[in-house]
Structure formats: C-alpha cells, structure tokens
Amino acid sequence: MRTSKYTFIILFLLPFFAFAQQKMTLKNCYSLVHQNYPTAKQITLLQQKSDYEVNALQTGKLPKIDLNAQGTYQNQVTEIPNPFISPLNKDQYKATLDINQLLYNGGLIDANTKLKEAQTKTQQQQVEVNLYQLKSRINQLFFSILLLQERKDLLIAKQKQLESKIKEVKTGIQFGAILPASEKVLEAENLKIKQQLSEIQYDKKKLFENLSSITYTTIPETTELDKPIITTPTNTTINRPELHYFELQEQQIDVSKSILTKNNLPKINAFGTAGYGNPGLNMIENSFEPIFIVGLKANWNVFDWNKSKSEKEALTVSADIIATEKETFLLNNNIQLQEINAEIQKSEANITTDTDIITLREYVEKSASSQLKNGVITASEYLTEFTNLYEAKNSQKIHEIQLELAKANYQVAIGIPNH
C-alpha cells in the first residue's frame, strides 16, 4: 500500500520536475515569436482578405442580371394625326430583365487578380520583415540570461572555494597562526557573494519575463537556456527577407503596368432585355406587349490624353525609388556586418588574453593562499588576489558570451530562416 502511494506521488510530481528542468534553445525562441507574436496573425488574415477580393473580381466574368420595373405618368405624349391610331396613355409601365455578359476586355480581370495577389504577397512579406527584426531583440535577451547563468555558476564556484578557505582560517585561528579578524573579512566577502547571487536571481527573473512577453508564451525562470554552438561566420551571401520584399514590390509594379496597357484595349459585351410593358417596343401600340432585345456592345477608348503614359512613368519612378531603398539597405547591412566582424575579432582576442591572465592569477592566488595559511599575509591581502582571480574569470565569461552574441547577430544580419 505504501509503495503504491509513493508511486502515485512520483507520477504526480514528474511533470512538474520535467517542466522545471525544461530547456530552451535560441531557435525555439525564434519559432515561438513567428508563431505567437500578434503581428504573425496578419499573414493568414491577409490571405483570407485576398481570397475574398479575388472572388469578388472573378464575378466580373459572370453575367450581370438586373430586374427593373417602372411606372410613369407624363403630362404629354406623342400624338399622330391619324384617326385610326389611338393616342398613347399618359401612364406607362415597364418591367424588364436585363442581362449583360462580358465577352472580351483584354484580360483586365485576370490582370487585376494578379495585382491583388501580388499586393497580398508584398504585404505578407512586410509582416515577415517585421517579425524577422525581432530576432535581434531575442538575441539580446537570450544571451543576457546566458551571461547571468554563467555568472551564477562562477559565483557558486567562488563561494565554495571561499567557504573552504574559511574553514582553513578557522583552523589557523585555533592554533594561533592567523588573526581572528581574518575570518570576519572572509565572512563579509561570503555575504557579498550571497547578495550578488540574489541580484542575479532578480535580474534573471526580469529578463525571463521580457523573453516570455516577446515570445507570447510562459517561460519560467527555472528554464535552462542551451548555449548555442555557432561557428565563426564565413558566409557573405545576404539572404534577408527585406530583399525578397523589394523583389515583390518590383513585381507588383510590373503587374500594375500591364493593367494600364489592358485598360486601353477594346471591351465587348453581349446584352439582352426581356420584359413586358405598356407601351412595348411598338410605341404606337397602346397596350401591354412583350419586350425582347439582344445585341452586342463595343467600347474602345482610343485616346486618353496620355493618361496611361503618365501613370506608367509614375510607376517607373516608383521602381527607381524601390531600387534606391534596396541599395541603401544593402549599404547599411554591409556596414553592420563589418562592425559585427570587428566585434567578433575583438572578443576572440580578449578571450585569448583572458586565458593567460587567469593562468597568472591562479598562480598568484595559490601563493597568497599558502601565505595566508602560514600567517604571512592578512585575509584582506589574500582576498584581493582571490577577487582578482574571479574577476578575470568573470571577464572571460563576458567575452565568451559577447562572442556568441556577435556570431548570432551576424547570422541575423546575413539572413537566416524565420522559422
């Protein structure tokens, strides 16, 4: 009975342990933003809007059917001076069913459909661009949390070494080799470490809240962030969503130009009217008669005072504007890549120097530790070297995170998939 009870408790708590120890990668964060950020919903909404508008455009190919009815009274009617022909009634009535079928308009409806689809793709790509730009913010939050994790681990290691040193000092005090005040100095440093750990916990909580907000999901502060393995960038081919956005804008302009050409082509419609009226088509027959008319109608605007030409020139200027925007983007992007490359090289150089500094600081700390144990130096003097060692280690961690952040920013600047 007791065994089954414990089994139940373990099974009950297992999901909570799994949740508390869950891991999160940088790519996971990217995917969450692309899925959950409010702007992402616009991609589907824009497609739905486009489908409705295209369906509305396509109805232009279907017959247009109108049901008309009218009754009028007029003070005069046409009279024929013939005693055998009765004058028309001053009250007249007509009810007709009118049908108008488009036969030819130069493919204008299909062209407008293509334009609507091109506009939708451009708008959707603009949303992709906006979502992509959030990657830099994610990088900053993600690596800031990673840095706090590294600092926490380093402080815990520092605390363990300090507590071990406090035990040694207590022993030395008992044997009279070390002054009693030495223990207080080290205890004060231990309290300072506890204070720093507490500050890290609050800062980490705030950063996780910000990461949760931008990804529109709940990421508990117990989540462990996986440090990404990012190789030193060698790719120089830019694959940013902004470039595709510029291409779609250019395609939209090309479709708009084709519509202007089709606007000037002839349009042919078939029409028919069937109904009943008094008078009918025979205006001198003063009675209700059936009405039936069929025919073709052509319309061709042969001269539009260069309106189409001016509109095409305006579209050409718009294309030139897009080209300058693309050129400006590539220029700024190259400058950004150069700056990130310089940051990567600086961080790599700093890490190499950090390794040498730590090696020297470890040697000095060991020497100071031995001197403190033998009562040659005070605890304050030892603490100075002890702190210098961990400051060097902390600097190396900062430089390592800065390097990984720079590599991640380079990937974003050069262009990586949105999901």
Side-chain angles (χ1 to χ4, degrees):
M1 185 71 178
R2 183 176 297 179
T3 303
S4 61
K5 178 181 178 182
Y6 288 146
T7 303
F8 173 77
I9 294 173
I10 291 172
L11 291 174
F12 179 76
L13 292 176
L14 188 58
F16 294 94
F17 287 126
F19 185 76
Q21 295 172 357
Q22 68 175 322
K23 292 186 178 182
M24 179 72 69
T25 67
L26 186 59
K27 287 185 177 180
N28 290 151
C29 294
Y30 291 161
S31 297
L32 286 171
V33 168
H34 197 267
Q35 293 167 11
N36 301 335
Y37 204 71
T39 309
K41 299 175 184 177
Q42 292 182 9
I43 295 175
T44 302
L45 294 174
L46 286 168
Q47 188 60 54
Q48 292 175 353
K49 176 174 174 283
S50 175
D51 291 342
Y52 286 124
E53 291 173 338
V54 167
N55 288 337
L57 285 171
Q58 290 297 317
T59 59
K61 295 180 179 181
L62 301 175
K64 182 182 179 184
I65 302 174
D66 294 318
L67 182 63
N68 300 301
Q70 70 174 32
T72 63
Y73 178 86
Q74 54 197 67
N75 64 338
Q76 284 186 332
V77 293
T78 302
E79 295 184 5
I80 299 176
N82 188 322
F84 299 102
I85 301 176
S86 301
L88 296 175
N89 294 332
K90 291 184 178 180
D91 56 326
Q92 299 182 4
Y93 307 92
K94 184 192 295 185
T96 61
L97 182 68
D98 298 329
I99 300 177
N100 196 307
Q101 174 64 58
L102 174 67
L103 298 179
Y104 177 77
N105 68 347
L108 189 59
I109 291 177
D110 290 337
N112 277 307
T113 298
K114 288 182 180 178
L115 177 60
K116 179 53 62 181
E117 291 171 347
Q119 289 173 339
T120 300
K121 288 180 180 178
T122 303
Q123 291 168 346
Q124 288 176 323
Q125 190 61 25
Q126 177 65 68
V127 175
E128 293 284 3
V129 169
N130 293 339
L131 290 174
Y132 188 87
Q133 291 172 350
L134 294 172
K135 280 183 166 63
S136 297
R137 288 175 58 188
I138 293 172
N139 286 350
Q140 196 63 46
L141 288 171
F142 191 90
F143 284 98
S144 293
I145 295 173
L146 272 181
L147 179 58
L148 289 180
Q149 287 183 179
E150 296 283 1
R151 285 188 59 200
K152 179 181 177 181
D153 293 343
L154 199 59
L155 281 172
I156 291 174
K158 181 181 180 181
Q159 189 177 46
K160 286 181 179 179
Q161 186 175 348
L162 187 62
E163 287 173 349
S164 175
K165 184 56 62 180
I166 290 173
K167 289 180 181 179
E168 288 183 9
V169 168
K170 284 182 177 179
T171 302
I173 292 172
Q174 288 176 358
F175 289 100
I178 301 175
L179 294 175
S182 297
E183 180 185 353
K184 303 299 181 184
V185 172
L186 297 182
E187 289 287 359
E189 182 65 19
N190 195 23
L191 288 174
K192 183 179 178 182
I193 292 174
K194 290 179 180 179
Q195 185 183 58
Q196 290 172 335
L197 286 170
S198 177
E199 289 174 354
I200 285 176
Q201 193 62 33
Y202 285 113
D203 291 342
K204 192 176 176 182
K205 180 182 178 182
K206 181 177 67 176
L207 288 172
F208 265 115
E209 288 173 352
N210 292 340
L211 190 61
S212 296
S213 297
I214 196 172
T215 56
Y216 257 67
T217 189
T218 302
I219 305 176
E221 56 187 291
T222 54
T223 303
E224 182 182 349
L225 300 189
D226 269 353
K227 188 176 179 180
I229 301 173
I230 307 174
T231 57
T232 302
T234 56
N235 182 28
T236 57
T237 303
I238 297 175
N239 187 31
R240 288 285 292 267
E242 288 88 345
L243 297 181
H244 187 44
Y245 175 65
F246 294 136
E247 290 174 3
L248 290 173
Q249 284 182 305
E250 292 167 355
Q251 293 174 14
Q252 184 177 322
I253 287 175
D254 290 338
V255 176
S256 298
K257 286 182 178 179
S258 70
I259 288 178
L260 291 177
T261 300
K262 294 180 185 299
N263 272 332
N264 291 329
L265 295 176
K267 298 171 182 60
I268 302 174
N269 291 273
F271 64 90
T273 301
Y276 204 64
N278 181 7
L281 295 177
N282 185 355
M283 295 299 296
I284 62 174
E285 187 68 35
N286 194 19
S287 63
F288 281 93
E289 298 290 339
I291 299 171
F292 182 73
I293 303 173
V294 293
L296 292 173
K297 181 180 179 181
N299 176 267
W300 192 356
N301 184 10
V302 295
F303 187 70
D304 65 353
W305 304 98
N306 289 328
K307 176 185 175 183
S308 297
K309 182 181 178 182
S310 297
E311 289 176 339
K312 283 184 178 179
E313 289 175 349
L315 288 172
T316 300
V317 174
S318 296
D320 292 338
I321 292 173
I322 293 170
T324 60
E325 289 176 350
K326 180 179 179 180
E327 185 179 0
T328 302
F329 169 78
L330 289 172
L331 174 63
N332 291 333
N333 188 254
N334 284 328
I335 293 173
Q336 183 184 14
L337 289 173
Q338 290 172 2
E339 292 175 348
I340 296 174
N341 260 325
E343 184 67 26
I344 290 173
Q345 293 171 8
K346 183 179 75 174
S347 296
E348 288 176 339
N350 284 336
I351 291 170
T352 301
T353 308
D354 286 333
T355 303
D356 295 335
I357 293 173
I358 289 171
T359 301
L360 294 173
R361 288 295 179 188
E362 284 176 340
Y363 177 83
V364 173
E365 188 274 335
K366 283 183 180 179
S367 176
S369 176
S370 177
Q371 289 176 333
L372 174 65
K373 189 175 182 179
N374 294 317
V376 177
I377 61 173
T378 64
S380 297
E381 291 173 318
Y382 165 77
L383 200 56
T384 299
E385 301 304 333
F386 180 74
T387 302
N388 287 339
L389 170 61
Y390 277 91
E391 282 182 356
K393 290 183 176 182
N394 188 56
S395 293
Q396 187 178 50
K397 292 297 181 183
I398 291 174
H399 293 147
E400 287 174 352
I401 295 298
Q402 286 176 341
L403 175 60
E404 297 306 314
L405 173 59
K407 289 178 180 179
N409 285 337
Y410 187 93
Q411 285 190 336
V412 171
I414 202 75
I416 55 176
N418 232 339
H419 51 282

